[in-house]
């Protein structure tokens, strides 16, 4: 099976109606899938009653990326799903906010080791959403389900 390029995935995600409508934009996906940069501009479609970023849009901008990064980094021998997520708000978000998702080789090796015999593993990852000044607007916690496929 042909593996889609990060550039193609970025284009598809940026045209996906829920992200397009919310103003969410993927700015960069690293060629090795270990970093993804996403931004969200404050606009009429994603502001709440008091004029700051709607919390659902803040969470949405973070939703699929750790799962996609692990799927691409671990390869076809693994099952990867989002299991749980939560968001902790620190301050109102205004203007442009951004999130930088990162994975490193140590994390990937740990996942491979913990799933080597076919056991499930539930890694917990987090990403901060930052405003233009670099202040933390929110922190998103994600729990993923990872298991090596049987017979692999």
């Amino acid at each position: 099976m042909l593996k889609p390029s990060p550039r193609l995935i970025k284009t598809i995600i940026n045209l996906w109606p829920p992200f397009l409508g919310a103003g969410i934009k993927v700015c960069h996906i690293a060629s090795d899938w270990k970093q993804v940069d996403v931004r969200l501009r404050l606009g009429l479609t994603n502001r709440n009653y008091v004029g700051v970023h709607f919390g659902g849009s803040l969470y949405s901008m973070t939703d699929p990326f750790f799962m996609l990064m692990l799927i691409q980094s671990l390869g076809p021998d693994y099952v990867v799903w989002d299991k749980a997520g939560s968001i902790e708000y620190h301050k109102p978000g205004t203007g442009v906010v951004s999130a930088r998702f990162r994975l490193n080789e140590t994390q990937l090796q740990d996942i491979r080791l913990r799933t080597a015999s076919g056991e499930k593993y539930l890694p917990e990852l987090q990403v901060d959403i930052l405003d233009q000044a670099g202040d933390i607007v929110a922190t998103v916690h994600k729990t993923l389900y990872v298991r090596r496929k049987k017979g692999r």
Side-chain angles (χ1 to χ4, degrees):
M1 183 170 131
L2 187 60
K3 186 175 179 179
S5 71
R7 183 177 174 162
L8 176 62
I9 295 297
K10 177 181 141 185
T11 300
I12 291 168
I13 291 172
N14 283 334
L15 293 173
W16 190 45
F19 274 22
L20 193 60
I24 298 165
K25 180 173 175 129
V26 178
C27 301
H28 174 73
I29 299 176
S31 59
D32 64 359
W33 287 92
K34 290 182 184 165
Q35 182 175 315
V36 174
D37 298 331
V38 180
R39 77 160 196 249
L40 174 62
R41 292 184 188 277
L42 183 62
L44 291 175
T45 62
N46 60 22
R47 68 180 59 220
N48 66 17
Y49 185 77
V50 295
V52 299
H53 279 286
F54 171 60
S57 295
L58 292 172
Y59 184 81
S60 292
M61 75 180 281
T62 68
D63 188 30
F65 296 106
F66 280 128
M67 183 183 77
L68 291 174
M69 294 166 73
L70 284 175
I71 287 169
Q72 296 297 325
S73 295
L74 295 172
D77 292 345
Y78 291 83
V79 174
V80 180
W81 291 99
D82 278 323
K83 180 165 177 44
S86 65
I87 187 166
E88 178 183 355
Y89 301 102
H90 300 285
K91 66 180 268 189
T94 60
V96 178
V97 295
S98 62
R100 174 167 284 168
F101 301 83
R102 291 187 180 118
L103 289 176
N104 60 53
E105 197 55 43
T106 302
Q107 290 169 304
L108 295 172
Q109 286 298 88
D110 183 53
I111 290 168
R112 287 182 187 107
L113 181 66
R114 291 173 182 261
T115 59
S117 299
E119 306 89 9
K120 73 178 179 184
Y121 176 51
L122 306 175
E124 294 182 9
L125 304 170
Q126 76 176 42
V127 64
D128 291 325
I129 299 172
L130 307 175
D131 64 15
Q132 290 171 292
D135 294 330
I136 299 173
V137 171
T139 301
V140 175
H141 303 270
K142 300 287 288 191
T143 302
L144 290 101
Y145 170 97
V146 182
R147 183 181 50 76
R148 188 168 171 85
K149 290 181 181 175
K150 292 175 177 35
R152 304 257 175 151

